[in-house]
């Protein structure tokens, strides 16, 4: 689903994943309570929609954002922790849980009471004027068009290159791929085509926090190796200070 077709910014009860995270947080405006923006009532049925604005070039980005499956699972678990009576339905194309213990965590969330994972992508979403409920149309796995009403819809938004990434890459002579992320070595993912320039985290490609931390450590190791090689070859430390 494209974000322009999701009702975001048009319907009060359609939230981005970031906005829902703030709502469910104890530091948020509702002090950790789930509330519909339209009337302040607690939502009973909440829909989470994967891949909004990603995996479709016509919607903005043709790449998978990698982290959305897991942060949505975390938000579903958080919603159930905040309000055990919430019924959560997750619409998805497929599930990508390839990090350490990710699959086990995802299976645990899928097994929570009142949680349904549905392999189907919504084709349309409209607000019911009187109730402010949101009606979602989708094609089920049996090929039939179905519809369901929800009190709140949460959009799992895809990731784009960080602001300023293109200018930074150009300044360091780093080549970018068709999605705007740096081109790196498949066997040495932190290395770019520019000697001495290494990348990690969301600058390299969309990813979550554990992978970002691991890549940051890897990039630091690459830098240490690069500096060490030049120091050994020149008889110097390999580190020069600029005035």
């Amino acid at each position: 689903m494209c974000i322009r077709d999701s009702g975001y910014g048009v319907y009060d009860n359609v939230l981005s994943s970031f906005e829902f995270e703030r709502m469910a947080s104890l530091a948020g405006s509702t002090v950790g309570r789930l509330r519909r923006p339209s009337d302040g009532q607690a939502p009973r049925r909440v829909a989470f929609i994967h891949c909004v604005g990603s995996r479709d070039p016509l919607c903005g980005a043709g790449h998978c954002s990698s982290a959305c499956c897991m942060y949505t699972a975390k938000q579903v678990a958080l919603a159930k922790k905040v309000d055990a009576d919430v019924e959560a339905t997750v619409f998805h194309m497929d599930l990508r849980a390839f990090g350490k213990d990710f699959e086990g965590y995802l299976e645990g969330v899928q097994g929570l009471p009142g949680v349904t994972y549905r392999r189907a992508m919504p084709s349309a979403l409209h607000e019911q004027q009187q109730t402010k409920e949101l009606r979602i149309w989708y094609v089920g796995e049996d090929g039939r068009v179905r519809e369901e009403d929800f009190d709140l819809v949460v959009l799992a938004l895809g990731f784009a290159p960080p602001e300023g990434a293109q200018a930074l890459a150009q300044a360091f002579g780093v080549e970018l791929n068709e999605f705007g992320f740096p081109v790196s070595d498949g066997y040495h993912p932190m290395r770019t085509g520019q000697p001495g320039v290494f990348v990690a985290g969301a600058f390299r490609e969309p990813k979550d926090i554990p992978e970002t931390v691991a890549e940051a450590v890897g990039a630091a190791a690459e830098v240490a190796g690069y500096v060490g090689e030049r120091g050994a070859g020149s008889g110097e430390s390999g580190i020069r200070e600029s005035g």
Side-chain angles (χ1 to χ4, degrees):
M1 173 179 280
C2 297
I3 193 168
R4 64 174 176 269
D5 302 322
S6 68
Y8 182 75
V10 178
Y11 305 143
D12 292 337
N13 296 322
V14 177
L15 303 179
S16 71
S17 47
F18 178 78
E19 291 168 338
F20 181 81
E21 185 92 11
R22 294 301 303 159
M23 175 190 289
S25 170
L26 290 175
S29 59
T30 59
V31 198
R33 294 175 296 177
L34 303 185
R35 292 291 182 266
R36 296 205 321 168
S38 65
D39 55 17
Q41 298 299 310
R44 292 274 67 83
R45 297 160 298 173
V46 181
F48 295 82
I49 302 177
H50 279 194
C51 303
V52 176
S54 63
R55 298 183 68 179
D56 185 347
L58 298 178
C59 291
H63 60 267
C64 170
S65 292
S66 175
C68 309
C69 291
M70 294 310 297
Y71 79 60
T72 297
K74 185 192 76 170
Q75 291 184 341
V76 170
L78 181 59
K80 293 295 294 183
K81 183 177 180 180
V82 169
D83 187 344
D85 294 328
V86 162
E87 297 177 5
T89 299
V90 181
F91 292 92
H92 66 93
M93 287 191 280
D94 50 29
L95 297 172
R96 300 185 175 186
F98 46 79
K100 183 179 180 181
D101 297 328
F102 283 9
E103 187 170 351
Y105 181 85
L106 186 59
E107 289 177 352
V109 172
Q110 290 176 304
L112 292 173
V115 173
T116 302
Y117 269 71
R118 181 161 290 135
R119 188 183 295 276
M121 288 305 294
S123 58
L125 183 155
H126 294 290
E127 181 184 78
Q128 308 301 303
Q129 291 186 357
Q130 292 185 344
T131 63
K132 299 297 182 180
E133 291 182 346
L134 298 157
R135 181 161 296 173
I136 291 178
W137 281 266
Y138 64 93
V139 177
E141 292 191 66
D142 59 2
R144 296 183 178 181
V145 176
R146 301 182 181 277
E147 60 184 58
E148 286 186 56
D149 291 341
F150 296 92
D151 301 310
L152 190 71
V153 171
V154 182
L155 309 177
L157 303 181
F159 292 7
E163 186 176 352
Q166 186 171 2
L168 184 62
Q170 185 175 5
F172 283 93
V174 174
E175 181 186 358
L176 301 178
N177 61 24
E178 66 270 30
F179 304 122
F181 296 99
V183 175
S184 58
D185 187 319
Y187 290 101
H188 301 278
M190 275 63 76
R191 298 181 186 180
T192 68
Q194 189 73 357
V197 179
F198 306 96
V199 292
F203 182 79
R204 189 175 80 80
E205 64 183 16
K207 56 177 49 67
D208 58 18
I209 294 173
E211 286 186 297
T212 297
V213 172
E215 283 198 353
V217 174
E222 290 279 13
V223 170
Y226 180 82
V227 171
E229 288 176 2
R230 271 128 193 90
S234 63
E236 300 177 359
S237 67
I239 301 176
R240 297 179 181 271
E241 295 183 2
S242 59

